[in-house]
């Protein structure tokens, strides 16, 4: 294990060393992110930072950790990830349309399903030993899983170091969970998760605010794609609640994606239409600085990661209240920052009504000293006196 830790540290150093060269290459290729209404950067920034992560990860696979990986699977995964990286690079340089990017991700997903043989064939029913066989639904479910997670990571890549840090936390958690709960024959899954996390660790100093280089779609798509593949390969074999674990670990990008889709649908806008109301945008609108918003989301990601590990050790009877508490807390947080919109806060409004609700006796009225006493509270003598004076 010590040897693996040393090699992971060395991988982070390689990543830190190669990133300045990727930064120069981005300017040469024209992969530059110019400021616009949806961007927070105030000057042109080089992208395709993910290319360096892809190169470093590949070096780790074929040089440092070659003995840990099965040949057929790793070459298939390399082919699929190459398709993803090329799609991201083309988008960073030429700006592809959303459907064109989806096509590239779809091709990579098909390689994973048919060539690598990594697929979702069954779903474990929570709190039971039963499994539901997917049958002919295996292909669409696997494709949807890969598309959803890949795009989820891409959507949160809106602030310096945000997607990098959140993905690093998620991958680190996946690596720990996979190491302790998957069969020994699949030890390469936790190693691969920790390898990619190490690459992100080496990249983060260049990407954290103020960033010197962005991940770009090259990096965001590659990271999201690899996370989806790792979760399919390893985490699906953990326990009876294994279908929940990857979703909880990736709680931040999945939550942001789901609420973005709901927000656009409720506003009558296309689901694929970009906006500036994501989680990080809303936190900054509340007055947080760039770094503070990123650190808050890091903390939220750690909470999700801790909760995912808690699910694996908690007794069955404790999972339901834990899950309900997490969902209620998440909904309150989302409504507080206005992720769905300032006028869409059903739970907050319900809480306010419960707290402020007071039962008042309709017969009792209060008046302040110096004001005229209400008629219904005057005595007969007082009313008679007023009539006589009139």
């Amino acid at each position: 294990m010590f040897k693996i830790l040393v090699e992971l540290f060395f991988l982070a150093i390689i990543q830190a060393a190669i990133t300045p060269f990727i930064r120069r290459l981005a300017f040469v290729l024209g992969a530059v992110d110019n400021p616009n209404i949806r961007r927070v950067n105030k000057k042109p920034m080089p992208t395709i930072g993910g290319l360096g992560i892809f190169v470093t990860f590949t070096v780790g696979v074929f040089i440092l950790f070659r003995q840990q990986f099965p040949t057929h699977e790793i070459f298939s995964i390399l082919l699929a990830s190459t398709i993803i990286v090329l799609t991201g690079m083309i988008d960073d340089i030429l700006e592809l349309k959303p459907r064109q990017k989806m096509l590239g991700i779809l091709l990579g997903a098909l390689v994973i399903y048919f060539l690598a043989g990594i697929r979702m064939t069954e779903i474990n029913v929570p709190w039971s030993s039963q499994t539901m066989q997917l049958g002919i639904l295996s292909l669409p479910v696997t494709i949807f899983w890969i598309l959803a997670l890949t795009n989820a990571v891409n959507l949160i890549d809106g602030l310096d170091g945000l997607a990098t840090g959140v993905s690093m936390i998620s991958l680190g958690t996946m690596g720990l969970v996979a190491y302790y709960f998957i069969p020994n024959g699949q030890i390469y899954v936790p190693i691969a998760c920790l390898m990619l996390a190490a690459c992100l660790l080496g990249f983060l100093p260049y990407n954290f605010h103020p960033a010197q280089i962005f991940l770009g779609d090259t990096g965001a798509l590659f990271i999201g794609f690899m996370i989806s593949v790792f979760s399919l390969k390893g985490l699906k074999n953990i326990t009876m609640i294994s279908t929940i674990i990857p979703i909880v670990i990736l709680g931040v990008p999945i939550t942001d994606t789901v609420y973005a889709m709901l927000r656009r649908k409720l506003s009558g806008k296309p689901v694929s239409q970009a906006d500036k109301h994501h989680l990080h945008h809303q936190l900054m609108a509340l007055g947080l600085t760039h770094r503070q918003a990123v650190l808050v989301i890091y903390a939220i990601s750690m909470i999700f990661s801790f909760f995912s590990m808690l699910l694996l050790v908690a007794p069955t009877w404790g999972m339901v209240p834990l899950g309900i508490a997490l969902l209620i807390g998440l909904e309150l947080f989302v409504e507080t920052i206005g992720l769905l919109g300032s006028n869409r806060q059903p739970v907050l409004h319900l809480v306010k009504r419960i707290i402020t609700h007071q039962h008042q006796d309709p017969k009792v009225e209060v008046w302040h000293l110096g004001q005229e006493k209400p008629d219904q509270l005057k005595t007969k003598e007082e009313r008679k006196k007023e009539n006589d004076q009139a």
Side-chain angles (χ1 to χ4, degrees), residues 266-288:
L266 292 173
S267 300
K269 298 178 180 178
V271 174
S272 60
Q273 180 178 328
D275 59 28
K276 205 171 184 178
H277 298 284
H278 288 285
L279 176 59
H280 50 278
H281 293 131
Q282 295 304 110
L283 289 174
M284 292 184 71
L286 292 176
L288 273 65

Side-chain angles (χ1 to χ4, degrees), residues 202-221:
F203 179 75
L204 186 59
Y206 298 95
N207 189 229
F208 198 70
H209 186 74
Q212 301 175 45
I213 186 171
F214 289 165
L215 277 174
D217 275 21
T218 307
L221 293 180

Side-chain angles (χ1 to χ4, degrees), residues 157-173:
D157 186 25
L159 295 181
D160 297 353
L162 181 56
T164 303
V166 169
S167 298
M168 186 171 63
I169 294 169
S170 299
L171 284 162
T173 306

Side-chain angles (χ1 to χ4, degrees), residues 213-282:
I213 186 171
F214 289 165
L215 277 174
D217 275 21
T218 307
L221 293 180
F222 170 66
I223 295 168
F225 182 80
M226 296 303 289
I227 288 176
S228 68
V229 173
F230 294 156
S231 62
L232 277 175
K233 181 60 183 176
L235 299 185
K236 69 185 183 71
N237 294 320
I238 298 174
T239 65
M240 61 185 177
I241 60 167
S242 60
T243 52
I244 303 174
I245 299 301
I247 297 174
V248 177
I249 292 175
L250 297 167
V252 169
I254 290 176
T255 298
D256 197 28
T257 301
V258 170
Y259 278 93
M261 295 171 66
L262 287 173
R263 179 176 64 248
R264 294 163 188 170
K265 191 70 175 177
L266 292 173
S267 300
K269 298 178 180 178
V271 174
S272 60
Q273 180 178 328
D275 59 28
K276 205 171 184 178
H277 298 284
H278 288 285
L279 176 59
H280 50 278
H281 293 131
Q282 295 304 110

Side-chain angles (χ1 to χ4, degrees), residues 40-41 158-161 209 284 288-295:
V40 296
N41 56 299
L159 295 181
D160 297 353
H209 186 74
M284 292 184 71
L288 273 65
T289 65
H290 196 124
R291 287 192 176 192
Q292 288 172 341
V294 172
L295 292 175

Side-chain angles (χ1 to χ4, degrees), residues 7 23 52 80 128 139 174 179 228 252 309 372:
E7 291 173 335
R23 187 176 186 275
S128 75
L139 176 59
M174 289 174 62
Y179 180 77
S228 68
V252 169
M309 291 186 286
E372 185 179 355

Side-chain angles (χ1 to χ4, degrees), residues 57-290:
F57 181 79
T58 304
V59 168
V61 168
F62 288 99
I63 297 179
L64 297 179
F65 295 92
R66 180 64 189 91
Q67 68 277 13
Q68 304 289 347
F69 295 93
T71 300
H72 176 74
E73 275 193 8
I74 200 57
F75 273 100
S76 300
I77 293 175
L78 176 62
L79 174 61
S81 59
T82 300
I83 295 173
I84 300 300
V85 169
L86 288 175
T87 300
M89 286 185 64
I90 294 172
D91 183 59
D92 287 332
I93 297 172
L94 302 177
E95 295 190 13
L96 296 174
K97 295 179 180 178
R99 66 181 63 179
Q100 293 172 324
K101 283 196 292 185
M102 292 293 286
L103 177 60
I105 301 171
L106 177 61
L107 290 176
L110 291 174
V111 171
I112 291 298
Y113 186 90
F114 289 107
L115 193 57
I118 300 174
R119 59 192 67 171
M120 191 178 294
T121 56
E122 60 186 31
I123 296 178
N124 297 312
V125 180
W127 305 292
S128 75
S129 59
Q130 302 298 317
T131 58
M132 181 176 67
Q133 300 296 324
L134 293 177
I136 60 174
L137 295 177
S138 175
L139 176 59
V141 170
T142 301
I143 298 300
F144 173 79
W145 180 268
I146 294 175
L147 290 175
L149 294 192
T150 302
N151 281 285
V153 173
N154 192 34
L155 280 177
I156 65 166
D157 186 25
L159 295 181
D160 297 353
L162 181 56
T164 303
V166 169
S167 298
M168 186 171 63
I169 294 169
S170 299
L171 284 162
T173 306
M174 289 174 62
L176 290 176
V177 171
Y179 180 77
Y180 286 104
F181 290 94
I182 69 171
N184 293 331
Q186 296 180 20
I187 190 64
Y188 85 86
V189 175
I191 289 178
C193 291
L194 296 177
M195 283 174 59
L196 189 51
C199 293
L200 295 177
L201 178 63
F203 179 75
L204 186 59
Y206 298 95
N207 189 229
F208 198 70
H209 186 74
Q212 301 175 45
I213 186 171
F214 289 165
L215 277 174
D217 275 21
T218 307
L221 293 180
F222 170 66
I223 295 168
F225 182 80
M226 296 303 289
I227 288 176
S228 68
V229 173
F230 294 156
S231 62
L232 277 175
K233 181 60 183 176
L235 299 185
K236 69 185 183 71
N237 294 320
I238 298 174
T239 65
M240 61 185 177
I241 60 167
S242 60
T243 52
I244 303 174
I245 299 301
I247 297 174
V248 177
I249 292 175
L250 297 167
V252 169
I254 290 176
T255 298
D256 197 28
T257 301
V258 170
Y259 278 93
M261 295 171 66
L262 287 173
R263 179 176 64 248
R264 294 163 188 170
K265 191 70 175 177
L266 292 173
S267 300
K269 298 178 180 178
V271 174
S272 60
Q273 180 178 328
D275 59 28
K276 205 171 184 178
H277 298 284
H278 288 285
L279 176 59
H280 50 278
H281 293 131
Q282 295 304 110
L283 289 174
M284 292 184 71
L286 292 176
L288 273 65
T289 65
H290 196 124

